[in-house]
Amino acid sequence: MGVMKRVTMVFRAKANKALDRMEDPRETLDYSYQTQLELLQKVRRGVADVATSRKRVELQLNQLQQSSDKLDRQARDSLAAGREDLAREALTRKAGVQSQLGDLQEQYASLQSEEEKLTQASQRLQAKVDAFRTRKETIKATYTAAEAQTRINEAFTGISEEMGDVGMAIQRAEDKTAQMKARAGAIDELMASGALDDMVSGPHDDIQAELDRMGATGGVDHELERMKAELAQSAPRQIEGSQAGTSDGASAQPASAASAPDPAQAGDPE
Amino acid sequence: MIVRILGEGQLEVPESEVAGLNQLDATLESAVERGDEASFRPALAALLAKVREVGSPTEAGDLRPSELIIPQPDATMDEVRKMLTDDGLIPG
């Protein structure tokens, strides 16, 4: 018979069962209209719920992105300070955060699409409910109960199909939102426990601590190294240019004499 | 003929296209009956693509019921199977 026909029959059976329960066909119209309005409310709440979930995930995405950026900076700072071991640790942690980010971005996209679908479903249902209200008044004003039966049946079956469809869409969105909530809760817990954010900003941020320590004490050594390297680079040019400039270099940076020996200086004891 | 894509709305499809749709639907149905996940997804995608190609959306306030209903694009085989037997999937 085909999937399409069988699904349609299931929808129709639902509508027919509801129709059979009604004594006066015109009563059906008012009752159904009430149910439609309730469903509209439910869809709107659904849209709001999905949006709330989406915003929460958005916040977490931002937090994780900040963590990733910070780890990246720390890796660079570590490398600049000649600490490849620290840089490697920072990059390893960054990779962990990135993988969480990728996961969350997928979920975010899925929530966004769910929100869009529900919003459109809500608009479709609204249009049908408006049409149904008009039809309902016309039928009640124009026909006797017996005459109205066929028209009522058609309108009812049509709107009932839409309601069934929208109802399933809400169910799907609720399921996805529930999954997301559980997931977002798990990430919040991870962050609260320090497993995620402590790596970079908490009290146990050992990479930053090491960098800070190096900034306070080791930074001097690092600065010296840097200056030595600069001197080593500029020294040959000075020899080529003018021999007289050598004594300036010696007085400005005595500590560098050993590692950046200047042949001209050594040969000139004053 | 009016065809509904679940989650998307209704389309008016010319009668001349119904035979083609039924053929694609038969492929889908046999995939579901066999529990053949590998051919289920392409079969559903092909049916949906065809309906979108030959159908045009109905008016927003059209209250006519559909003659054919197609599961939503991301429906799992399990969901489709439940839809065929009314396993409490359709609310109301």
Side-chain angles (χ1 to χ4, degrees):
Chain A
M1 191 196 309
V3 170
M4 299 190 291
K5 200 79 215 167
R6 286 164 69 184
V7 175
T8 312
M9 283 172 62
V10 172
F11 271 82
R12 291 279 174 96
K14 288 255 175 194
N16 288 337
K17 216 192 278 175
L19 271 174
D20 286 347
R21 281 199 297 265
M22 304 292 165
E23 300 248 318
D24 178 354
R26 286 177 296 187
E27 230 176 74
T28 314
L29 296 176
D30 290 326
Y31 175 76
S32 173
Y33 186 62
Q34 278 313 310
T35 323
Q36 291 160 33
L37 294 181
E38 282 162 23
L39 183 61
L40 260 181
Q41 285 301 316
K42 202 175 166 194
V43 191
R44 295 202 183 111
R45 272 201 306 275
V47 172
D49 279 351
V50 180
T52 306
S53 253
R54 175 181 53 78
K55 282 176 198 151
R56 185 176 176 195
V57 172
E58 205 170 308
L59 270 177
Q60 291 190 326
L61 275 173
N62 287 341
Q63 283 174 302
L64 284 178
Q65 188 57 55
Q66 279 170 17
S67 293
S68 173
D69 290 348
K70 186 170 182 186
L71 283 164
D72 192 85
R73 269 199 312 278
Q74 289 180 333
R76 280 168 206 282
D77 289 351
S78 304
L79 255 194
R83 288 293 304 274
E84 196 176 324
D85 56 329
L86 271 185
R88 180 175 298 278
E89 178 61 28
L91 288 178
T92 306
R93 291 176 190 186
K94 185 187 157 195
V97 173
Q98 283 287 332
S99 130
Q100 290 271 6
L101 258 176
D103 240 28
L104 216 55
Q105 260 154 359
E106 237 171 70
Q107 311 279 337
Y108 181 76
S110 144
L111 275 182
Q112 243 180 341
S113 121
E114 216 54 49
E115 190 179 343
E116 203 174 298
K117 279 189 226 163
L118 264 195
T119 306
Q120 283 166 4
S122 146
Q123 286 162 357
R124 277 198 306 272
L125 181 61
Q126 176 75 66
K128 299 246 181 195
V129 169
D130 288 345
F132 187 90
R133 192 191 55 229
T134 309
R135 179 84 58 92
K136 167 171 89 87
E137 293 314 320
T138 310
I139 291 173
K140 285 199 332 194
T142 319
Y143 301 96
T144 63
E147 288 169 337
Q149 188 71 65
T150 317
R151 286 158 203 284
I152 290 172
N153 283 1
E154 195 197 43
F156 183 84
T157 309
I159 198 90
S160 143
E161 178 187 315
E162 187 70 42
M163 290 166 77
D165 188 356
V166 169
M168 284 201 287
I170 297 177
Q171 192 57 54
R172 286 194 296 272
E174 275 174 1
D175 290 349
K176 279 218 172 115
T177 310
Q179 278 171 21
M180 270 321 299
K181 275 182 184 157
R183 207 184 160 73
I187 290 184
D188 275 346
E189 261 173 46
L190 256 180
M191 284 178 163
S193 77
L196 267 184
D197 69 340
D198 273 1
M199 292 191 212
V200 286
S201 59
H204 310 300
D205 183 355
D206 46 353
I207 294 179
Q208 194 57 51
E210 184 73 6
L211 281 172
D212 289 347
R213 193 186 59 73
M214 282 162 51
T217 62
V220 174
D221 295 334
H222 172 59
E223 191 81 340
L224 282 174
E225 286 298 322
R226 189 177 58 76
M227 288 178 175
K228 279 184 216 166
E230 276 176 15
L231 270 178
Q233 273 190 337
S234 61
R237 253 185 284 122
Q238 282 178 333
I239 297 164
E240 281 166 27
S242 129
Q243 296 280 340
T246 52
S247 59
D248 285 339
S251 62
Q253 193 59 279
S256 75
S259 65
D262 188 340
Q265 185 191 344
D268 181 12
E270 293 196 357
Chain B
M1 170 182 279
I2 298 182
V3 178
R4 172 182 294 270
I5 298 177
L6 288 178
E8 289 184 18
Q10 293 169 300
L11 299 115
E12 185 93 53
V13 172
E15 293 291 336
S16 56
E17 301 287 350
V18 174
L21 291 184
N22 280 335
Q23 220 170 345
L24 292 167
D25 188 18
T27 311
L28 176 66
E29 189 180 33
S30 100
V32 174
E33 310 253 283
R34 280 180 288 127
D36 182 355
E37 189 79 55
S39 41
F40 164 76
R41 197 132 297 283
L44 179 57
L47 179 59
L48 287 163
K50 187 71 183 169
V51 173
R52 291 193 182 110
E53 182 200 323
V54 300
S56 42
T58 57
E59 293 283 325
D62 197 330
L63 287 175
R64 287 177 295 168
S66 312
E67 281 181 63
L68 297 172
I69 299 179
I70 308 179
Q72 69 278 13
D74 59 358
T76 64
M77 197 159 63
D78 197 40
E79 280 173 323
V80 172
R81 206 175 280 129
K82 283 179 183 163
M83 269 178 224
L84 297 179
T85 56
D86 185 23
D87 207 358
L89 204 63
I90 304 161

Short mmCIF file of all heavy atoms in Angstrom, two decimals, chain A residues 123-135 159 162, chain B residues 10 58-64:
data_model
loop_
_atom_site.label_atom_id
_atom_site.label_comp_id
_atom_site.label_asym_id
_atom_site.label_seq_id
_atom_site.Cartn_x
_atom_site.Cartn_y
_atom_site.Cartn_z
N GLN A 123 3.68 29.21 12.74
CA GLN A 123 3.05 30.10 11.76
C GLN A 123 2.04 29.35 10.89
O GLN A 123 0.96 29.87 10.59
CB GLN A 123 4.13 30.74 10.87
CG GLN A 123 4.91 31.83 11.60
CD GLN A 123 6.22 32.16 10.92
OE1 GLN A 123 6.59 31.55 9.90
NE2 GLN A 123 6.93 33.13 11.45
N ARG A 124 2.41 28.12 10.49
CA ARG A 124 1.48 27.32 9.67
C ARG A 124 0.20 27.03 10.45
O ARG A 124 -0.91 27.18 9.94
CB ARG A 124 2.14 26.01 9.25
CG ARG A 124 3.03 26.10 8.04
CD ARG A 124 3.28 24.73 7.44
NE ARG A 124 3.78 23.78 8.41
CZ ARG A 124 5.08 23.61 8.70
NH1 ARG A 124 5.98 24.34 8.07
NH2 ARG A 124 5.47 22.75 9.59
N LEU A 125 0.39 26.62 11.71
CA LEU A 125 -0.78 26.28 12.52
C LEU A 125 -1.65 27.51 12.73
O LEU A 125 -2.88 27.43 12.65
CB LEU A 125 -0.33 25.69 13.86
CG LEU A 125 -1.45 25.27 14.81
CD1 LEU A 125 -2.31 24.18 14.19
CD2 LEU A 125 -0.90 24.79 16.15
N GLN A 126 -1.02 28.65 12.98
CA GLN A 126 -1.77 29.89 13.19
C GLN A 126 -2.66 30.19 11.98
O GLN A 126 -3.84 30.52 12.12
CB GLN A 126 -0.78 31.06 13.42
CG GLN A 126 -1.45 32.42 13.58
CD GLN A 126 -2.11 32.58 14.93
OE1 GLN A 126 -1.46 32.61 15.95
NE2 GLN A 126 -3.44 32.66 14.95
N ALA A 127 -2.09 30.06 10.79
CA ALA A 127 -2.85 30.34 9.56
C ALA A 127 -4.05 29.39 9.45
O ALA A 127 -5.16 29.81 9.09
CB ALA A 127 -1.95 30.20 8.34
N LYS A 128 -3.83 28.10 9.80
CA LYS A 128 -4.92 27.13 9.69
C LYS A 128 -5.98 27.39 10.76
O LYS A 128 -7.17 27.24 10.51
CB LYS A 128 -4.38 25.71 9.84
CG LYS A 128 -3.38 25.34 8.77
CD LYS A 128 -3.86 24.26 7.85
CE LYS A 128 -2.79 23.95 6.82
NZ LYS A 128 -3.25 23.17 5.70
N VAL A 129 -5.53 27.75 11.94
CA VAL A 129 -6.48 28.02 13.02
C VAL A 129 -7.35 29.22 12.68
O VAL A 129 -8.57 29.22 12.89
CB VAL A 129 -5.74 28.24 14.37
CG1 VAL A 129 -6.69 28.77 15.44
CG2 VAL A 129 -5.11 26.94 14.84
N ASP A 130 -6.73 30.25 12.09
CA ASP A 130 -7.50 31.43 11.66
C ASP A 130 -8.54 31.03 10.62
O ASP A 130 -9.71 31.44 10.70
CB ASP A 130 -6.56 32.48 11.05
CG ASP A 130 -5.69 33.15 12.12
OD1 ASP A 130 -6.02 33.01 13.31
OD2 ASP A 130 -4.69 33.81 11.75
N ALA A 131 -8.11 30.22 9.64
CA ALA A 131 -9.03 29.77 8.59
C ALA A 131 -10.15 28.93 9.20
O ALA A 131 -11.31 29.04 8.80
CB ALA A 131 -8.27 28.96 7.54
N PHE A 132 -9.79 28.11 10.17
CA PHE A 132 -10.78 27.24 10.80
C PHE A 132 -11.82 28.07 11.54
O PHE A 132 -13.01 27.77 11.49
CB PHE A 132 -10.09 26.28 11.78
CG PHE A 132 -11.00 25.24 12.36
CD1 PHE A 132 -11.17 24.03 11.73
CD2 PHE A 132 -11.70 25.49 13.54
CE1 PHE A 132 -12.02 23.06 12.26
CE2 PHE A 132 -12.56 24.54 14.07
CZ PHE A 132 -12.71 23.32 13.43
N ARG A 133 -11.38 29.12 12.22
CA ARG A 133 -12.31 29.96 12.97
C ARG A 133 -13.36 30.56 12.04
O ARG A 133 -14.55 30.54 12.31
CB ARG A 133 -11.55 31.07 13.71
CG ARG A 133 -12.42 31.78 14.74
CD ARG A 133 -11.74 33.02 15.27
NE ARG A 133 -11.35 33.92 14.18
CZ ARG A 133 -10.14 34.45 14.06
NH1 ARG A 133 -9.22 34.22 14.96
NH2 ARG A 133 -9.87 35.25 13.04
N THR A 134 -12.90 31.09 10.92
CA THR A 134 -13.80 31.67 9.94
C THR A 134 -14.78 30.62 9.41
O THR A 134 -15.99 30.85 9.34
CB THR A 134 -12.99 32.24 8.75
OG1 THR A 134 -11.97 33.07 9.27
CG2 THR A 134 -13.87 33.03 7.81
N ARG A 135 -14.21 29.45 9.06
CA ARG A 135 -15.04 28.38 8.52
C ARG A 135 -16.09 27.94 9.53
O ARG A 135 -17.25 27.72 9.21
CB ARG A 135 -14.13 27.19 8.15
CG ARG A 135 -14.84 25.97 7.59
CD ARG A 135 -15.10 26.07 6.09
NE ARG A 135 -13.87 26.25 5.34
CZ ARG A 135 -13.16 25.24 4.83
NH1 ARG A 135 -13.56 24.01 5.02
NH2 ARG A 135 -12.07 25.49 4.15
N ILE A 159 -7.65 20.09 9.90
CA ILE A 159 -6.96 20.76 11.00
C ILE A 159 -6.37 19.72 11.95
O ILE A 159 -5.31 19.93 12.54
CB ILE A 159 -7.91 21.72 11.76
CG1 ILE A 159 -7.11 22.71 12.61
CG2 ILE A 159 -8.86 20.97 12.67
CD1 ILE A 159 -6.77 23.97 11.91
N GLU A 162 -3.04 18.69 10.69
CA GLU A 162 -2.04 19.72 10.99
C GLU A 162 -1.63 19.64 12.46
O GLU A 162 -0.45 19.76 12.81
CB GLU A 162 -2.63 21.10 10.67
CG GLU A 162 -1.65 22.25 10.77
CD GLU A 162 -0.61 22.22 9.65
OE1 GLU A 162 -1.00 21.94 8.50
OE2 GLU A 162 0.57 22.45 9.93
N GLN B 10 1.99 21.22 3.45
CA GLN B 10 1.33 20.51 2.35
C GLN B 10 1.72 21.06 0.98
O GLN B 10 1.99 22.24 0.84
CB GLN B 10 -0.19 20.63 2.52
CG GLN B 10 -0.72 19.89 3.73
CD GLN B 10 -2.17 20.24 4.01
OE1 GLN B 10 -2.50 21.40 4.25
NE2 GLN B 10 -3.04 19.23 3.96
N THR B 58 0.60 24.57 -0.79
CA THR B 58 -0.80 25.01 -0.77
C THR B 58 -0.89 26.35 -0.03
O THR B 58 0.06 26.76 0.64
CB THR B 58 -1.67 23.98 -0.03
OG1 THR B 58 -1.14 23.81 1.29
CG2 THR B 58 -1.68 22.65 -0.74
N GLU B 59 -2.06 26.98 -0.13
CA GLU B 59 -2.29 28.23 0.60
C GLU B 59 -2.21 27.97 2.10
O GLU B 59 -2.57 26.88 2.56
CB GLU B 59 -3.70 28.74 0.29
CG GLU B 59 -3.91 29.17 -1.15
CD GLU B 59 -3.30 30.54 -1.42
OE1 GLU B 59 -3.34 31.38 -0.50
OE2 GLU B 59 -2.78 30.75 -2.53
N ALA B 60 -1.76 29.00 2.84
CA ALA B 60 -1.56 28.82 4.29
C ALA B 60 -2.85 28.43 5.01
O ALA B 60 -2.83 27.63 5.92
CB ALA B 60 -1.00 30.11 4.88
N GLY B 61 -3.99 28.98 4.56
CA GLY B 61 -5.25 28.72 5.27
C GLY B 61 -6.06 27.58 4.67
O GLY B 61 -7.23 27.41 4.99
N ASP B 62 -5.44 26.77 3.83
CA ASP B 62 -6.12 25.64 3.20
C ASP B 62 -6.41 24.56 4.24
O ASP B 62 -5.49 24.08 4.90
CB ASP B 62 -5.22 25.07 2.08
CG ASP B 62 -6.01 24.18 1.13
OD1 ASP B 62 -7.00 23.56 1.57
OD2 ASP B 62 -5.63 24.11 -0.06
N LEU B 63 -7.67 24.20 4.40
CA LEU B 63 -8.00 23.24 5.45
C LEU B 63 -8.22 21.83 4.93
O LEU B 63 -8.62 20.93 5.68
CB LEU B 63 -9.26 23.70 6.19
CG LEU B 63 -9.09 24.90 7.12
CD1 LEU B 63 -10.43 25.35 7.70
CD2 LEU B 63 -8.12 24.58 8.27
N ARG B 64 -7.97 21.62 3.64
CA ARG B 64 -8.19 20.27 3.08
C ARG B 64 -7.18 19.28 3.65
O ARG B 64 -6.00 19.58 3.76
CB ARG B 64 -8.04 20.31 1.56
CG ARG B 64 -9.21 21.00 0.85
CD ARG B 64 -8.94 21.06 -0.63
NE ARG B 64 -7.79 21.92 -0.93
CZ ARG B 64 -7.19 21.96 -2.11
NH1 ARG B 64 -7.60 21.20 -3.10
NH2 ARG B 64 -6.16 22.77 -2.30
#
